[in-house]
Amino acid sequence: MSKLTQRKSLDYIKKDYVRTRTMPGSWYLSSYKFRFNITHHQPMLEKLKEKKLIANQCSGCNRVFFPPRLVCGQCLVKPDRWVDIRDTARVATYAIAYLKNPDTGQVEEKPMILVQHDGADTCSIAELAPGINVKDTYIGMPIKAHWKENATGGLMDIEYYDPIPDDAKDIE
Ligand SMILES: [Zn+2]
């Protein structure tokens, strides 16, 4: 941890809000209907069959979205261009998941990663290759998509991400 972040965390004081009023009430979640529109994923899913990645781009701000977005949240317009992106990426951030193996009962550490593909401005959640030690995972780590042998045009065509050599000069 750098000196700066260390100081910041020491100075942090959680604000304690005084509870002024409590209202009785309930929120009937089951009365809501959710509908997910993923029709804008279709061109990307088609390309997955060829083990290629495409993203959509907003003509307002030029941001490239992978996975594709229905609407650009900044410009509030539909991204109207499709662009090719690489299947290489970087670990934008990661979290350690503690998963209990149902067979052995043992708790295993597994890094869950946020992936930013080269050429994309947004991220997606994925897994690293099995057996990668959490301690070897870092932000900025170069990775590459590990494709399923027979891609079917589904979101699981990328099974996980393999680490690739890091050419950064300061890594040692
Ligand atoms: Zn935009």
Side-chain angles (χ1 to χ4, degrees):
M1 196 187 281
S2 78
K3 262 190 180 154
L4 190 73
T5 51
Q6 212 166 23
R7 247 198 62 178
K8 261 191 182 166
S9 59
L10 285 175
D11 288 347
Y12 177 72
I13 298 162
K14 191 169 186 279
K15 196 170 177 185
D16 205 6
Y17 290 98
V18 182
R19 183 181 285 204
T20 52
R21 189 186 290 175
T22 311
M23 301 268 286
S26 33
W27 190 17
Y28 299 106
L29 281 176
S30 59
S31 66
Y32 287 81
K33 278 198 180 114
F34 297 96
R35 196 179 285 169
F36 295 102
N37 183 353
I38 55 159
T39 49
H40 61 289
H41 275 194
Q42 209 50 47
M44 177 201 70
L45 296 175
E46 283 300 316
K47 279 279 178 184
L48 286 177
K49 291 179 190 164
E50 303 164 33
K51 300 188 181 177
K52 281 183 180 150
L53 296 176
I54 51 168
N56 62 3
Q57 185 177 29
C58 172
S59 50
C61 61
N62 282 331
R63 286 190 304 159
V64 174
F65 304 116
F66 185 85
R69 288 191 186 169
L70 189 61
V71 170
C72 171
Q74 266 179 21
C75 311
L76 304 178
V77 295
K78 274 190 175 181
D80 53 3
R81 282 197 293 255
W82 287 97
V83 292
D84 294 321
I85 59 166
R86 291 168 186 268
D87 70 350
T88 51
R90 298 260 171 188
V91 173
T93 190
Y94 66 98
I96 305 164
Y98 295 91
L99 303 169
K100 198 172 187 178
N101 187 321
D103 302 324
T104 62
Q106 270 188 329
V107 177
E108 291 162 11
E109 283 184 345
K110 192 172 195 176
M112 297 300 296
I113 53 170
L114 200 63
V115 178
Q116 184 173 9
H117 275 269
D118 293 339
D121 291 304
T122 55
C123 299
S124 52
I125 297 172
E127 287 180 27
L128 274 180
I132 300 292
N133 196 317
V134 173
K135 292 186 181 81
D136 297 329
T137 310
Y138 56 93
I139 291 170
M141 180 168 142
I143 48 177
K144 191 178 193 303
H146 185 106
W147 294 91
K148 197 197 240 180
E149 187 143 334
N150 298 308
T152 54
L155 290 175
M156 296 310 291
D157 282 346
I158 295 176
E159 292 182 309
Y160 48 80
Y161 286 82
D162 291 314
I164 53 175
D166 195 335
D167 58 5
K169 296 273 186 291
D170 59 352
I171 199 85
E172 304 303 319

